[in-house]
């Protein structure tokens, strides 16, 4: 029986050894698996890192392109701003000159208007003066005409009265002469024995 016990003891030792080997192999296998997992993980990390570097380079390139584009945009914007500022200043200068010219024209026009209004005022006053003088002259002429009409009427009346008086005087003389002639003729006829009443 003791021999059996020894066998049993040997079998137990072998079993323990097998367990340890299995455990060790298991640990080794687990370690290998972990190493493989770590390698895979590292490979993934490397791939991610490579992709990340690639994306970083791409992003840097894009960022440089964006910065370049931004600089070009800023340069264009600066050029546009400078051109707009120049145009604005040119427009402002032109507008200032135009305003100055318009103000000068306005002042000149106002002065011309004042001169024209003054001349118009003087012309109106001169016209009114001439009109008053003409009215006065016409009134004086009307008075003179009235006076001349009265004088002519008086002279005509006096002339006609004188002429009538002369005609009356001449008529009286002619009638007197005619009467004398008739009387003389009557005497002559009677001397010849003629009766004037029978003639």
């Amino acid at each position: 029986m003791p021999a059996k016990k020894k066998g049993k003891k040997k079998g137990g030792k072998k079993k323990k050894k097998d367990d340890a080997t299995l455990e060790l192999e298991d640990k080794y296998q687990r370690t290998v698996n972990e190493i493989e997992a770590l390698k895979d993980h590292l490979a993934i990390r490397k791939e991610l890192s490579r992709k990340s570097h690639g994306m970083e380079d791409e992003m840097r390139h894009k960022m440089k392109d964006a910065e370049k584009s931004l600089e070009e945009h800023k340069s264009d914007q600066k050029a546009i701003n400078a051109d707009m500022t120049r145009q604005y200043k040119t427009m402002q200068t032109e507008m200032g000159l135009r305003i100055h010219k318009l103000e000068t024209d306005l002042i000149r026009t106002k002065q011309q208007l004042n001169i024209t209004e003054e001349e118009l005022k003087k012309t109106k006053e001169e016209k009114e003066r001439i009109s008053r003088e003409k009215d006065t002259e016409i009134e004086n002429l009307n008075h003179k005409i009235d006076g001349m009409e009265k004088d002519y009427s008086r002279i005509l009346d006096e002339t006609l009265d004188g002429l009538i008086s002369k005609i009356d005087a001449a008529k009286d003389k002619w009638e007197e002469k005619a009467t004398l002639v008739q009387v003389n003729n009557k005497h002559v006829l009677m001397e010849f024995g003629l009766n004037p009443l029978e003639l």
Side-chain angles (χ1 to χ4, degrees):
M1 285 216 169
K4 285 184 181 178
K5 280 183 183 177
K6 278 184 181 178
K8 280 184 182 177
K9 280 182 181 177
K10 280 185 182 178
K13 282 182 182 179
K14 194 175 181 181
K15 192 175 181 184
K16 280 184 179 179
K17 189 177 179 180
D18 289 338
D19 288 340
T21 301
L22 286 172
E23 187 178 344
L24 185 62
E25 285 178 359
D26 189 40
K27 280 183 180 180
Y28 174 75
Q29 190 62 41
R30 277 202 308 266
T31 304
V32 169
N33 289 338
E34 285 177 2
I35 288 169
E36 288 297 325
L38 286 171
K39 281 182 180 179
D40 290 341
H41 186 67
L42 186 61
I44 291 169
R45 292 281 299 252
K46 280 183 180 178
E47 183 66 22
L48 287 173
S49 177
R50 187 183 62 76
K51 285 184 179 179
S52 177
H53 282 301
M55 287 181 71
E56 185 180 355
D57 290 339
E58 188 180 350
M59 289 302 291
R60 277 183 185 165
H61 184 67
K62 284 183 179 179
M63 192 171 176
K64 282 182 182 177
D65 288 344
E67 285 176 351
K68 186 179 177 183
S69 178
L70 182 63
E71 286 299 323
E72 288 176 355
H73 181 71
K74 280 182 179 178
S75 178
D76 291 343
Q77 191 68 34
K78 191 175 179 182
I80 289 168
N81 286 340
D83 187 57
M84 285 183 72
T85 303
R86 183 186 57 77
Q87 286 183 9
Y88 174 75
K89 284 182 179 177
T90 303
M91 250 174 55
Q92 198 174 24
T93 304
E94 288 176 354
M95 190 62 72
L97 290 171
R98 190 174 176 190
I99 288 169
H100 178 70
K101 185 180 179 300
L102 288 172
E103 286 176 347
T104 305
D105 290 345
L106 180 62
I107 291 168
R108 192 181 299 114
T109 304
K110 282 184 177 178
Q111 289 174 348
Q112 189 66 37
L113 180 63
N114 290 334
I115 291 169
T116 305
E117 286 178 346
E118 189 66 28
E119 288 178 353
L120 180 62
K121 184 180 176 183
K122 286 181 181 177
T123 304
K124 282 183 177 178
E125 289 176 353
E126 183 69 15
K127 182 183 174 185
E128 289 175 359
R129 184 186 64 77
I130 291 170
S131 180
R132 284 195 302 271
E133 286 179 357
K134 283 186 177 179
D135 289 341
T136 304
E137 188 176 353
I138 288 168
E139 190 176 350
N140 290 335
L141 286 172
N142 284 331
H143 284 307
K144 283 182 181 178
I145 288 169
D146 289 341
M148 287 173 70
E149 283 180 353
K150 287 177 182 177
D151 289 340
Y152 286 142
S153 178
R154 181 178 54 77
I155 290 168
L156 188 59
D157 288 342
E158 288 177 356
T159 303
L160 287 173
D161 289 342
L163 187 60
I164 289 170
S165 297
K166 285 180 180 179
I167 289 172
D168 288 340
K171 182 183 174 186
D172 291 340
K173 285 181 181 178
W174 280 104
E175 284 180 352
E176 186 177 341
K177 284 182 180 179
T179 304
L180 288 173
V181 169
Q182 282 180 0
V183 170
N184 285 332
N185 288 335
K186 189 177 178 183
H187 285 299
V188 169
L189 289 171
M190 286 178 69
E191 285 177 1
F192 285 106
L194 296 171
N195 187 0
L197 294 175
E198 289 178 356
L199 295 174

